[in-house]
RNA sequence: GGGAGAGUGUCCCGAGCGGCAAAGGGGGCGGACUGUAAAUCCGCUGGCUAUGCCUUCGCAGGUUCGAGUCCUGCCUCUCCCA
């Protein structure tokens, strides 16, 4: 590992954030001497960021922590185009209103990690729609387009893959890399931004921006990419049955978020502690050294620290507490997801199938609930359901005044009469 | 514009002589074993008011007792020629 002299690169390197860096020595000197401004681009195709965005966001966090200036660039303009990288299919194009809606929602997530201007910090949230939407096509072609060689563009993986597999690549998408390169140049001009970071798949796009900056403005720009994070068993990170692990609390509750980290594979714990928490490295080293069942302690720390970063210390503690009661003591606490039902309805009696499929959506349909019963996967108040005609009534309420429904060992919902 | 080929279970890939709720994978879910891990093994993986009914193979028609399968038209994609 290269020894850096700047705090910023040192921390990123020690914690495993660095995959590739352009001109490491020059960047290191730059980060040591003064304030470095760097950006990461985000799509806004969804109303929330997900786990996959967390890693780059942590890089912005450390950037700010080490005295520099982060820019979160929202792709309000490029989202209307769609990055072809790593995808076979054309991305659907969102309406402008939907994009703006998503943008607002995502901004809240950033504010947990970054201190923005007007909030006691220097972080900037930019939107490339600000400059892309008003571009004049002819001017753009003349000023920017002439610096791009189609021969070279065709050699990029993102394009080559599509062509080789004979999938359609529209001209619109073909232009994505040009727009991203232009973003970098524009941010350099506006804010003196000198570094673009991103996932390893972004290397080509970032380097394009560096080249364009040099050709247009003789600017000296840098690239830094993070490794692609897969789990120890090779799966892509953050994919669960329920879909993506979102960062917004209303999409994935702090409890579920905590559980996500708690269920990390053994082999990933040390790496994840370094990447997704801000704990000191010596403490992480101690936790990572735990063997066998003891590593569960490290997983709990990981879950709590990661959740605290995202949802706050209190929510993390509550999620940890609920989890302990649920899994270790066999009881439960209030932070489990709760679904309210009318008391009268409960008194009249609710079929188990209805309770699991309609009320709580633990099962996807009555048929699914039936199948789960046959497989022994459904529990009411921790007792396995054996009969799909079973009725739930007020008599099933526990001392806490709720009914606990479980699918498998990990998914629990409380049914609460109101 | 001409010629050739393709579109299958709303997660993906993919088989499918006219009797098909449709092979086989992957993924996912559940169970067993464990440590809320991994690996392994087993089961499940259209819907419903359920010994039956309804909806599915690009779309719309047709032939047939019966169509994913045959015919016609259309749509989309790929390749070759112009």
């Amino acid at each position: 590992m290269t020894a850096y002299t700047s705090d910023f690169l040192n921390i990123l390197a020690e914690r495993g954030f660095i995959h590739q860096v352009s001109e490491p020595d020059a960047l290191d000197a730059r980060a040591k001497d003064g304030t470095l401004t760097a950006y990461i681009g985000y799509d806004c195709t969804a109303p929330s960021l997900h786990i996959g965005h967390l890693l780059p966001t942590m890089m912005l966090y450390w950037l700010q922590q080490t005295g520099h200036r982060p820019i979160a660039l929202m792709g309000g303009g490029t989202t209307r185009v769609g990055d072809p990288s790593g995808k076979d299919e054309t991305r659907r194009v969102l309406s402008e209103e939907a994009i703006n809606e998503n943008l607002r929602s995502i901004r809240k997530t950033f504010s947990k990690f970054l201190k923005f201007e007007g909030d006691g910090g220097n972080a900037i949230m930019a939107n490339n729609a600000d400059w892309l939407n008003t571009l004049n096509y002819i001017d753009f072609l003349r000023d920017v387009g002439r610096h791009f060689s189609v021969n070279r563009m065709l050699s990029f993986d993102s394009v080559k893959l599509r062509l080789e597999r004979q999938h359609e690549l529209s001209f619109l998408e073909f232009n994505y890399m040009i727009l991203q390169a232009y973003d970098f140049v524009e941010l350099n001009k506006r804010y003196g931004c000198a570094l673009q970071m991103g996932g390893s798949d972004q290397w080509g796009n970032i380097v394009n921006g560096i080249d364009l900056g040099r050709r247009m403005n003789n600017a000296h720009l840098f690239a830094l990419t993070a490794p692609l994070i897969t789990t120890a068993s090779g799966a892509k990170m953050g994919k669960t049955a329920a879909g993506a692990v979102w960062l917004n609390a209303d999409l994935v509750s702090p409890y579920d978020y905590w559980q996500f980290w708690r269920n990390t594979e053994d082999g990933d714990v040390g790496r994840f502690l370094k990447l997704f928490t801000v704990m000191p490295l010596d403490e992480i080293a101690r936790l990572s050294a735990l063997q066998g069942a003891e590593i569960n302690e490290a997983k709990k720390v990981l879950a709590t620290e990661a959740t605290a970063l995202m949802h706050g210390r209190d929510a993390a503690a509550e999620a940890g507490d609920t989890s302990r009661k649920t899994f270790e003591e066999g009881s439960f606490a209030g932070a489990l997801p709760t679904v309210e039902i009318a008391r009268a309805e409960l008194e009249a009696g609710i079929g188990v199938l209805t309770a699991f499929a309609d009320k709580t959506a633990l099962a996807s349909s009555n048929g699914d609930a039936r199948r789960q019963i046959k497989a022994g996967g459904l529990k009411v108040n921790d007792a396995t359901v054996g009969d799909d005609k079973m009725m739930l009534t007020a008599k099933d309420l526990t001392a806490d005044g709720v009914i606990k429904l479980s699918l498998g060992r990990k998914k629990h919902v409380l049914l609460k009469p109101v």
Side-chain angles (χ1 to χ4, degrees):
Chain A
M1 188 186 293
T2 319
Y4 295 107
T5 57
S6 64
D7 289 345
F8 172 58
L9 287 179
N10 260 329
I11 287 180
L12 286 198
E14 284 168 358
R15 288 186 169 259
F17 282 97
I18 298 181
H19 180 246
Q20 281 177 286
V21 194
S22 68
E23 303 179 79
D25 295 336
L27 179 62
D28 190 37
R30 186 83 172 254
K32 188 172 170 55
D33 289 344
T35 302
L36 178 69
T37 301
Y39 93 97
I40 293 177
Y42 295 85
D43 268 324
C44 33
T45 42
S48 166
L49 299 177
H50 56 76
I51 287 278
H53 296 115
L54 202 52
L55 186 89
T57 305
M58 289 305 291
M59 295 201 284
L60 288 183
Y61 170 85
W62 287 116
L63 180 78
Q64 188 166 45
Q65 293 302 309
T66 51
H68 303 289
R69 181 164 68 154
I71 300 176
L73 176 67
M74 302 313 300
T78 32
T79 294
R80 304 202 301 176
V81 176
D83 181 5
S85 299
K87 293 173 193 71
D88 282 343
E89 287 168 28
T90 304
R91 180 183 294 183
R92 71 207 158 95
V93 175
L94 294 170
S95 74
E96 192 136 6
E97 304 85 80
I99 290 172
N100 287 330
E101 189 59 40
N102 291 342
L103 242 152
R104 268 193 294 280
S105 176
I106 289 170
R107 184 182 207 113
K108 278 184 253 162
T109 302
F110 281 118
S111 63
K112 314 240 179 176
F113 294 91
L114 306 175
K115 280 201 164 51
F116 286 99
E117 290 174 326
D119 204 19
N122 63 353
I124 295 170
M125 185 146 170
N127 182 351
N128 64 11
D130 290 348
W131 52 86
L132 294 183
N133 285 8
T134 55
L135 282 180
N136 175 295
Y137 191 58
I138 299 297
D139 289 344
F140 185 73
L141 284 181
R142 196 190 51 210
D143 296 339
V144 177
R146 69 194 177 100
H147 295 298
F148 282 84
S149 143
V150 171
N151 309 46
R152 210 165 94 77
M153 286 168 75
L154 288 175
S155 73
F156 276 75
D157 278 350
S158 57
V159 173
K160 213 164 58 180
L161 208 75
R162 284 278 192 93
L163 295 179
E164 276 169 5
R165 306 178 77 177
Q166 301 181 346
H167 282 285
E168 158 107 350
L169 176 71
S170 70
F171 185 65
L172 181 78
E173 295 167 284
F174 189 55
N175 275 272
Y176 186 89
M177 64 172 82
I178 296 181
L179 294 179
Q180 186 171 339
Y182 182 70
D183 281 344
F184 198 174
V185 174
E186 187 67 29
L187 285 170
N188 175 250
K189 207 160 67 188
R190 292 186 176 213
Y191 304 110
C193 179
L195 168 67
Q196 180 180 179
M197 302 188 286
S200 54
D201 56 330
Q202 292 299 316
W203 182 258
N205 285 338
I206 297 175
V207 169
N208 271 331
I210 292 178
D211 287 346
L212 184 64
R214 191 183 55 241
R215 289 178 189 177
M216 286 180 70
N217 303 328
N218 203 21
H220 192 189
L221 307 177
F222 300 90
L224 190 161
T225 56
L228 181 69
I229 303 295
T230 54
T231 65
S233 50
K236 253 204 193 131
M237 197 185 158
K239 286 183 72 183
T240 67
V245 178
W246 302 107
L247 300 184
N248 280 14
D250 50 345
L251 291 174
V252 170
S253 71
Y255 167 79
D256 286 326
Y257 192 73
W258 195 95
Q259 281 293 321
F260 169 78
W261 294 106
R262 172 64 244 263
N263 286 305
T264 298
E265 291 176 33
D266 287 9
D268 293 325
V269 175
R271 199 158 47 110
F272 285 6
L273 278 167
K274 283 195 275 188
L275 293 171
F276 300 112
T277 77
V278 297
M279 296 177 71
L281 288 173
D282 50 353
E283 179 67 7
I284 290 175
R286 188 186 67 77
L287 287 168
S288 306
L290 295 174
Q291 290 298 313
E294 293 201 329
I295 202 162
N296 282 327
E297 290 311 311
K299 290 185 190 179
K300 288 179 204 169
V301 173
L302 170 64
T304 301
E305 293 302 315
T307 307
L309 263 182
M310 191 64 234
H311 299 296
R313 184 62 58 185
D314 290 347
E318 192 185 13
D321 197 46
T322 299
S323 299
R324 184 173 51 76
K325 286 181 177 157
T326 305
F327 289 98
E328 295 175 23
E329 296 173 9
S331 64
F332 55 84
L336 284 175
T338 302
V339 171
E340 299 185 339
I341 50 162
R343 185 170 288 276
E345 196 178 357
L346 179 65
E347 277 163 6
I350 298 176
V352 258
L353 298 182
T354 310
F356 276 94
D358 290 349
K359 298 298 179 192
T360 65
L362 278 170
S364 58
S365 67
N366 283 2
D368 185 37
R370 236 183 284 264
R371 283 191 289 271
Q372 293 294 358
I373 287 173
K374 206 178 294 174
L378 294 192
K379 294 199 185 92
V380 171
N381 292 329
D382 298 315
T384 304
V385 177
D387 176 11
D388 61 14
K389 295 205 173 54
M390 176 180 166
M391 298 297 285
L392 301 180
T393 65
K395 277 186 298 195
D396 294 302
L397 290 170
T398 63
D400 297 297
V402 294
I403 299 175
K404 180 186 182 189
L405 303 180
S406 313
L407 177 111
R409 285 165 301 163
K410 293 185 184 175
K411 274 169 267 170
H412 310 282
V413 169
L414 300 180
L415 216 52
K416 185 176 187 180
V418 288

